[in-house]
Amino acid sequence: VHSGLASLRPLGEQVVGARIWRVIFAFPSLCLAYSWITYFISHAHDGVEFYDLSGNASAHTIAWMVNFISFFFLYPSVFNLKEVAAVEKPTLHLWETGMIRITRHPQFVGQSLWSAAHLAMVGTSFTALTMALLVGHHAFACWNGDRRYYDKHGEAFLKVKERTSIIP
């Protein structure tokens, strides 16, 4: 839903405008995120249990630190909160400063770290599948994001792509 609506952004903005499209884009994404997080919390220990380190204080501390680091990648990718709220016109920026110097797709790296930390704590088949799907979705978003950057910025994006990478 999220990547698909992002891909439809140029058309959607032409039809309803940038601000309304941002609301249309955000609403299903937020609803699905809430329901999926609730479902994950309720079912994280379902399936085949390979290990469970959630009671281990050292493992908990390490997972907490990795999660903390992951948010440095997850949240700076929302560069301008006024655009998120559609106070300012949302734009597909071609940046190569800040977090983008480390990785062109910080949410992919952040989600990979977050998923690894959660899987290290709760090693069930359900958690492993969920984390693989989350990382896979973000890997697709890397491809889709690069495609959108190229469509909007053309050769300028290819130059940025040469100087940046997906993996830090």
Side-chain angles (χ1 to χ4, degrees), residues 36-117:
W36 290 341
I37 289 168
T38 302
Y39 187 85
F40 174 74
I41 290 169
S42 298
H43 296 279
H45 293 273
D46 288 356
V48 178
E49 184 176 343
F50 304 112
Y51 56 88
D52 183 4
L53 299 178
S54 59
N56 182 306
S58 297
H60 184 268
T61 300
I62 292 167
W64 190 91
M65 289 188 304
V66 171
N67 280 324
F68 183 79
I69 292 166
S70 79
F71 283 95
F72 284 107
F73 290 92
L74 286 165
Y75 287 105
S77 54
V78 180
F79 291 106
N80 186 344
L81 292 177
K82 288 182 178 178
E83 287 182 11
V84 173
V87 173
E88 293 179 0
K89 183 181 178 196
T91 314
L92 184 61
H93 298 282
L94 188 61
W95 280 314
E96 58 179 312
T97 59
M99 186 57 72
I100 302 301
R101 288 180 305 138
I102 298 169
T103 172
R104 193 167 60 253
H105 295 284
Q107 286 195 330
F108 171 74
V109 174
Q111 186 63 63
S112 297
L113 289 169
W114 187 91
S115 295

Side-chain angles (χ1 to χ4, degrees), residues 136-158:
H137 164 76
H138 282 77
F140 168 77
C142 290
W143 169 82
N144 193 39
D146 281 355
R147 183 191 60 78
R148 291 176 57 227
Y149 276 129
Y150 180 74
D151 288 349
K152 178 148 178 108
H153 299 286
E155 289 298 318
F157 167 68
L158 294 178

Side-chain angles (χ1 to χ4, degrees), residues 15-38:
V15 174
V16 296
R19 289 182 183 199
I20 297 296
W21 182 254
R22 199 67 177 166
V23 172
I24 292 169
F25 172 80
F27 184 73
S29 295
L30 292 173
C31 292
L32 288 171
Y34 175 76
S35 62
W36 290 341
I37 289 168
T38 302

